[in-house]
Amino acid sequence: MTQTATATAAVPAPKLLPDAQTVTAVRHWNDRLFSFRVTRPQSLRFRSGEFVMIGLMGDNGKPLLRAYSIASPAWDEELEFYSIKVPDGPLTSKLQHIKPGDEIILRPKPVGTLVHDALLPGKRVWFLATGTGIAPFASLMREPETYEKFDEVVMMHTCRTVDELEYGRVLVESLREDPLIGELVGDKLKYYPTTTREDFPHMGRITENLKSGKVFTDLGIAPMSAETDRAMVCGSLAFNKDVMEVLEGFGLREGANSEPKEYVVEKAFVGEGV
């Protein structure tokens, strides 16, 4: 009897979901935003900046999946994600209630365009994001290759209110003290958060601050140039379109994994309605 009981206890608990991974940590930044970490599939290899499909079982018994950028870097032993909360959203209405020990579905097939391979070599890279679009850049800002390839890294992040910037602020402030990449980051990273609805030292949309040149003046840096500058964009479809026009006004061209150019755009952004 003892041997049988011991043998049974040694068998891992069966996973209840397909492609299941276990939640290890959850942090609610406010009533609209949360981040969480899950175990990493042993088979998963990805490039910092890519996304995967994650989700839960829907009410109809079928997997309910959405594309989520991996916010942790490729070297991390776990996977981090950053999400909005939509009260009546098919997925996030359920996902926002997860806690450590719960399982989520994670399809280990990473894809995406916000990767270094899709950009031509340059001297300065711009990460341009609104809201939870900062997630892939949370990965890239912790990726050693970012600082090995570029002399300067500019993170522009725009949200409606100050508390929506908190995830990015905490991350950026931790980078220089990071034992793995702190020395690489040094003074290369320039962080430019702005708000659109609440008073803050820097305000305005990313497009406005680029077109007016305000961001160049505020940071004390040279204007954008197609010869030296590269950019990555992640936000709503409307934001992406507006930023693309501004970047092309500076002479930058859109690239892809198969044809690297001066800028790339992530079109699988998880926005409103999830």
Side-chain angles (χ1 to χ4, degrees), residues 147-162:
Y147 304 97
E148 291 163 357
K149 286 198 165 186
F150 295 98
D151 297 332
E152 261 185 331
V153 179
V154 184
M155 177 73 247
M156 293 185 73
H157 186 209
T158 295
C159 294
R160 294 168 301 179
T161 58
V162 176

Side-chain angles (χ1 to χ4, degrees), residues 21-58:
Q21 296 302 320
T22 304
V23 177
T24 60
V26 181
R27 180 167 179 178
H28 294 270
W29 298 89
N30 54 36
D31 61 356
R32 301 176 300 283
L33 297 162
F34 70 109
S35 60
F36 57 97
R37 293 176 69 84
V38 303
T39 53
R40 178 173 176 168
Q42 288 188 340
S43 62
L44 179 60
R45 299 289 180 270
F46 72 95
R47 295 174 294 176
S48 294
E50 290 187 313
F51 66 86
V52 290
M53 302 298 290
I54 68 171
L56 298 167
M57 296 301 288

Side-chain angles (χ1 to χ4, degrees), residues 10 21 36 59 63 87 103 120 142 192-193 209 219 233 245 269:
Q21 296 302 320
F36 57 97
D59 295 334
E103 290 183 348
L120 293 171
R142 287 182 272 191
Y192 194 80
N209 285 313
L219 294 179
V233 185
E245 289 181 7
F269 174 68

Side-chain angles (χ1 to χ4, degrees), residues 173-184:
E173 289 187 358
S174 71
L175 289 176
R176 291 182 181 85
E177 307 304 320
D178 190 291
L180 283 174
I181 63 165
E183 288 187 13
L184 279 174

Side-chain angles (χ1 to χ4, degrees), residues 144-214:
E145 186 181 1
T146 299
Y147 304 97
E148 291 163 357
K149 286 198 165 186
F150 295 98
D151 297 332
E152 261 185 331
V153 179
V154 184
M155 177 73 247
M156 293 185 73
H157 186 209
T158 295
C159 294
R160 294 168 301 179
T161 58
V162 176
D163 66 344
E164 292 178 347
L165 293 167
E166 189 69 2
Y167 173 81
R169 183 192 68 78
V170 170
L171 172 64
V172 169
E173 289 187 358
S174 71
L175 289 176
R176 291 182 181 85
E177 307 304 320
D178 190 291
L180 283 174
I181 63 165
E183 288 187 13
L184 279 174
V185 175
D187 295 326
K188 287 189 172 186
L189 179 62
K190 290 177 167 51
Y191 177 47
Y192 194 80
T194 65
T195 56
T196 56
R197 294 188 186 176
E198 186 178 357
D199 285 344
F200 192 63
H202 295 302
M203 297 188 67
R205 300 181 185 281
I206 286 173
T207 48
E208 295 165 357
N209 285 313
L210 283 171
K211 285 193 290 186
S212 68
K214 188 175 187 301

Side-chain angles (χ1 to χ4, degrees), residues 198-248:
E198 186 178 357
D199 285 344
F200 192 63
H202 295 302
M203 297 188 67
R205 300 181 185 281
I206 286 173
T207 48
E208 295 165 357
N209 285 313
L210 283 171
K211 285 193 290 186
S212 68
K214 188 175 187 301
V215 62
F216 311 131
T217 302
D218 288 345
L219 294 179
I221 58 179
M224 194 177 286
S225 160
E227 292 182 8
T228 57
D229 289 88
R230 306 294 175 256
M232 295 184 176
V233 185
C234 189
S236 66
L237 290 174
F239 169 76
N240 289 351
K241 182 182 177 184
D242 291 344
V243 174
M244 288 168 70
E245 289 181 7
V246 174
L247 294 178
E248 289 177 10

Side-chain angles (χ1 to χ4, degrees), residues 103-116:
E103 290 183 348
I104 68 162
I105 303 168
L106 190 152
R107 296 279 164 81
K109 296 178 181 178
V111 289
T113 55
L114 300 185
V115 292
H116 287 303

